[in-house]
Amino acid sequence: MSDDRLIVALDVPNVVQGLDLAAKLGDAVSFYKIGLGMLTGGGFALANELKHEQGKRVFLDMKLFDIGATIEAAVRGIAQHDLDFLTVHGDPQVVRAAAEGKRGKDLKILAVTVLTSLDRADLDANLIKPGDVHEITLERAARALEAGADGVIASPQEAAMIRALPQAAGRLIVTPGVRPVGAATGDQKRIATPAQAIADGANHIVVGRPIWQAADPAAAARAIVAELAGV
């Protein structure tokens, strides 16, 4: 059985490999994330195939950032595909435009707070204001939710703090940077196990390489689902 709290990142180069991986995973997975790296490899075609032909849920991870009119138009176009989640940067003006663009559709707008691959040194290099990474993430999450986001993307280490925000009541928290026990951390710097992320307030976890690099991807997915069954 699948558990849609688990979202598998299809971080493969093209639609052919994406469909192949989805076939290997079969009914072990019901929710997939398609990111920017797949966009030029047929990402929209893959999203539509998974959603409308295979009955899967789809998270389009585009992390959109632009002026309001452009965001609104882009989100309006994407919303016509009847997908489930879409990411935009968590700046309030971007979130407001995205919320307007998806008006009347069930598409959930998820705001990116601070990328899970970043630490304080990275924020310094990017000229982000001084302060603790967790506190900045919390502040960005609150502002994005106030601006109309349906939820936020955040590291598992911030999930509990965000869940405690008054603005987070009834909103989604989706956590990348999730690694099963024993898995390599890769380029993620702020990580947690699947069960810990859910226990700390996440609605969904995103897992990529620990599943698609496994010798048996379906078995790897089922192991995570089994872990989540206890949460």
Side-chain angles (χ1 to χ4, degrees):
M1 291 292 292
S2 61
D3 183 332
D4 76 356
R5 290 179 295 177
L6 169 63
I7 301 176
V8 173
L10 290 176
D11 294 331
V12 293
N14 56 56
V15 64
V16 174
Q17 292 183 44
L19 288 172
D20 181 61
L21 179 56
K24 289 178 181 176
L25 290 168
D27 61 6
V29 174
S30 57
F31 210 150
Y32 287 102
K33 180 175 85 73
I34 296 173
L36 194 58
M38 168 74 84
L39 193 62
T40 56
F44 267 114
L46 178 59
N48 284 318
E49 169 74 18
L50 291 172
K51 176 72 178 183
H52 302 296
E53 302 301 325
Q54 299 189 24
K56 306 295 186 181
R57 299 183 72 191
V58 175
F59 167 12
L60 201 62
D61 187 18
M62 296 289 106
K63 299 184 180 70
L64 299 177
F65 181 85
D66 212 312
I67 64 171
T70 301
I71 291 292
E72 185 177 335
V75 173
R76 183 174 294 113
I78 290 169
Q80 305 310 309
H81 293 265
D82 293 322
L83 304 178
D84 297 276
F85 294 173
L86 171 69
T87 47
V88 303
H89 275 265
D91 305 66
Q93 78 278 6
V94 174
V95 172
R96 283 192 291 269
E100 182 61 32
K102 72 108 183 194
R103 185 181 296 275
K105 296 290 186 178
D106 290 333
L107 178 68
K108 303 298 185 187
I109 300 298
L110 304 179
V112 175
T113 53
V114 176
L115 296 173
T116 55
S117 61
L118 303 183
D119 58 19
R120 184 63 250 180
D122 296 313
L123 298 190
D124 290 341
N126 293 343
L127 304 181
I128 304 299
K129 73 175 186 177
D132 179 75
V133 175
H134 302 307
E135 292 175 2
I136 289 173
T137 300
L138 190 65
E139 185 176 354
R140 279 181 63 80
R143 291 185 181 189
L145 292 169
E146 288 167 359
D150 297 297
V152 296
I153 305 291
S155 141
Q157 296 180 18
E158 285 99 32
M161 293 191 301
I162 292 172
R163 181 52 69 204
L165 288 171
Q167 299 94 328
R171 308 291 182 91
L172 297 165
I173 298 174
V174 179
T175 59
V178 173
R179 293 288 183 269
V181 175
T185 59
D187 59 3
Q188 301 290 357
K189 297 178 181 176
R190 300 180 354 257
I191 62 175
T193 63
Q196 187 64 51
I198 295 294
D200 284 345
N203 300 90
H204 299 272
I205 59 171
V206 179
V207 183
R209 278 165 288 195
I211 289 177
W212 58 258
Q213 288 184 345
D216 185 341
R222 290 191 185 97
I224 293 173
V225 168
E227 180 182 337
L228 294 182
V231 185

